[in-house]
Amino acid sequence: MVGAETFVENNFGSINYTFKTCIELIIYGYSQLKNSGLRVSRSELLKEMMSIRNKKEGEKTSLDLEDYLRNVLVNDYIEPNRGSFGLENFRFHCGVEELYNNIRTGILDIKVCSSGLDDNVYYIFECKRLNKNIIYQYIHEGIVRFTTDQKYYPSSNTSLSEMISFLESEDKCKILNICDVYNVLCTHLDNHKEAINLLDNLKVINLISDYTEVSNFDNLYYSNHKRNDKPNISIYHVVLDYNDIVIE
């Protein structure tokens, strides 16, 4: 999209510039993870979870793959690099409660906050595994939490948020190819536009950054959505290819 970088960098103001820098850090952290050669085995991870939780063979346990992928990305590759992006005073917290009048409305995958921001200004990054079989959840258990359900930002007028998707599937027939994601997401968002109060479908963003890993990243988009009794919200979509990272 021509001019997308200008839209992001010049028209957002100082607080929103910080949001943009958070996106840069997430992309940079992902690039470092990719370069590390990390491989995550579903079967080995399940065994480790059973061991840590003292589950015996045959007892039921779930593979919290989405949470695990998020935790590795945040704890091992985002948090250690905050200083390189001038985000020393910001923290990326995983699994934080979202409250309205001290009543929990949801659990945030990633909450970015700082003592330098007002109490009700923070950024939410929702994480979702993504393949052909679970793309419905990306919309109805992800995007709608920012729009029609308003489970996120219930007492805040923050108008920026982000969806982080981990592309992976244990079923080879359900894999989403990174090159197809833009068109697939556009189609699904349009098909569910009333449910998510869609105003503008996905537009491509190419960030300008001092880090080539960020400038060369091709899978960053944003969409605009209406909210009742609040300003419209822009949702950024960062698509991370884990198809070669998560193995059997």
Side-chain angles (χ1 to χ4, degrees), residues 20-232:
K20 177 242 181 195
T21 306
C22 289
I23 295 177
E24 287 191 59
L25 174 55
I26 290 168
I27 294 171
Y28 178 81
Y30 166 72
S31 73
Q32 298 304 296
L33 183 152
K34 286 278 284 187
N35 291 339
S36 74
L38 175 71
R39 294 293 180 270
V40 176
S41 165
R42 286 188 180 84
S43 57
E44 292 302 317
L45 180 57
L46 183 58
K47 289 179 184 177
E48 184 177 2
M49 287 180 176
M50 291 181 66
S51 174
I52 291 173
R53 295 170 180 173
N54 294 317
K55 293 278 188 179
K56 296 179 182 178
E57 190 171 349
E59 288 185 315
K60 207 171 178 183
T61 191
S62 60
L63 178 58
D64 300 326
L65 183 56
E66 178 186 300
D67 289 349
Y68 179 80
L69 296 178
R70 173 203 66 193
N71 294 341
V72 170
L73 178 63
V74 170
N75 296 332
D76 297 348
Y77 295 96
I78 292 177
E79 278 286 305
N81 288 299
R82 284 183 294 116
S84 299
F85 288 80
L87 296 171
E88 299 91 338
N89 297 322
F90 290 79
R91 295 301 303 272
F92 288 68
H93 299 282
C94 296
V96 180
E97 288 187 338
E98 180 74 308
L99 303 176
Y100 181 71
N101 289 340
N102 290 318
I103 297 173
R104 187 177 76 184
T105 61
I107 301 292
L108 307 182
D109 280 319
I110 303 172
K111 179 179 181 178
V112 180
C113 52
S114 169
S115 58
L117 296 176
D118 293 338
D119 289 341
N120 68 337
V121 177
Y122 52 93
Y123 305 123
I124 298 173
F125 301 98
E126 174 76 359
C127 298
K128 282 285 179 278
R129 294 169 52 235
L130 190 59
N131 58 52
K132 293 178 182 178
N133 200 42
I134 56 178
I135 194 167
Y136 183 89
Q137 286 90 320
Y138 182 89
I139 294 171
H140 290 272
E141 296 176 15
I143 294 175
V144 296
R145 294 175 179 174
F146 295 105
T147 57
T148 48
D149 285 357
Q150 295 194 42
K151 291 182 178 180
Y152 295 166
Y153 298 135
S155 57
S156 171
N157 284 328
T158 302
S159 58
L160 297 168
S161 62
E162 182 175 309
M163 297 288 299
I164 300 174
S165 55
F166 305 118
L167 286 192
E168 62 82 30
S169 176
E170 56 187 324
D171 184 345
K172 302 303 181 186
C173 295
K174 302 297 183 182
I175 288 176
L176 267 177
N177 189 290
I178 191 70
C179 299
D180 300 329
V181 170
Y182 175 78
N183 289 330
V184 171
L185 281 180
C186 276
T187 299
H188 279 270
L189 264 64
D190 189 61
N191 289 342
H192 298 272
K193 58 186 175 185
E194 293 183 1
I196 59 176
N197 286 340
L198 183 66
L199 294 174
D200 299 299
N201 211 330
L202 296 187
K203 293 180 173 58
V204 178
I205 297 173
N206 296 304
L207 291 176
I208 296 174
S209 173
D210 293 335
Y211 294 89
T212 56
E213 298 92 339
V214 176
S215 297
N216 292 337
F217 188 77
D218 294 328
N219 302 107
L220 174 63
Y221 323 113
Y222 77 94
S223 54
N224 287 318
H225 305 258
K226 182 180 177 182
R227 290 186 295 183
N228 295 329
D229 303 322
K230 286 190 176 184
N232 297 340

